[in-house]
Amino acid sequence: MKHIISSLLILLLISCGNAQENKEAKQLFQGIWYNADSGERSLFVKNDTIYFPDSLNVPMYFRIVDDSLELHGAGIDKYGIRHQLSHIFWFTNLNGELIKLRKYDTPTDTTIFTYKGIKPVTSDTIVQDSIVSCQGKHYHYYTFMQSTDNKVLKQTYTSEGIQVDNIYYDNKIRLVIKSDEKVIFDKDIVKKELSQKIPVSFLSQAVLTGLRFDKSCKKGLSFNATLTIPDERMSYLAEIIITPEGEYLVESDK
């Protein structure tokens, strides 16, 4: 009997969970939607997916549950639906602003909503080559920056205040240092090694975008590694010191 009651409760919970999704509202939501105020194309809804006019925005799975639009990306965000008809969709964005969308009967090209995939921040190998002095000795260094397969997820917002995900490739920078034609250092510098004193929230969305010689110091050769969130101006510098013996030190952020 206990097993029967447990099974009935599970079935009841499942049926209730399925009943929460409003399939009629989901069907009304299909199609291309325009911002009613600006006239710009805003969303293309097809089946269970929402596509965006910015080709870098990752398409998102969605549900309409009760009176909310649920978008499933890096997290689950809920947008309160204020008014919905076959050609009208009003919702409140994450800032509490009322957004009004409108759908038209005229056929519209959907290619603008095509997702173009992950974007490399740099597609070419960048080479720097120079000779510097430290403690009376000359050092020849050169760097190579290349895109990797490591993905960086950046969360951003559409003009309607919808939180979306963009994906980028991270970079690695190979640093080679020679003294008297002898290689004293040869290593790929990657983001995860530069995490000291850099906020986790910034580091998770940042890409390694540069490595430049800064100065000679008592410990050795000082380089600045730059971490940047794609398409934003804010960045952090992590100081890397290579000692004359080829030891690798990450001092701090600047």
Side-chain angles (χ1 to χ4, degrees), residues 1-8:
M1 178 62 71
K2 289 183 180 179
H3 293 297
I4 295 174
I5 293 174
S6 298
S7 299
L8 289 173

Side-chain angles (χ1 to χ4, degrees), residues 183-229:
V183 176
I184 66 167
F185 186 84
D186 186 350
K187 178 179 174 60
D188 286 335
I189 310 299
V190 294
K191 182 180 75 172
K192 65 181 180 180
E193 298 174 342
L194 309 174
S195 60
Q196 296 181 20
K197 298 185 180 180
I198 297 178
V200 175
S201 58
F202 179 91
L203 190 67
S204 63
Q205 300 188 74
V207 170
L208 179 61
T209 53
L211 181 69
R212 293 188 177 277
F213 176 76
D214 182 29
K215 61 187 176 182
S216 297
C217 61
K218 292 181 179 180
K219 294 181 181 179
L221 302 178
S222 173
F223 294 82
N224 284 334
T226 306
L227 295 164
T228 306
I229 295 179

Side-chain angles (χ1 to χ4, degrees), residues 50-61 71-77 79 94 115-119 151-158 161-168 204-205 230-231:
I50 294 179
Y51 301 85
F52 302 93
D54 187 335
S55 62
L56 293 180
N57 297 158
V58 179
M60 301 181 75
Y61 170 77
L71 296 186
H72 295 242
I76 300 176
D77 295 316
Y79 302 81
L94 297 180
Y115 175 56
K116 294 184 178 179
I118 303 170
K119 178 183 177 183
K151 298 175 184 177
V152 175
L153 177 66
K154 174 192 172 186
Q155 292 184 303
T156 186
Y157 292 87
T158 68
I162 298 174
Q163 184 167 269
V164 291
D165 301 329
N166 288 357
I167 297 178
Y168 297 82
S204 63
Q205 300 188 74
D231 303 322

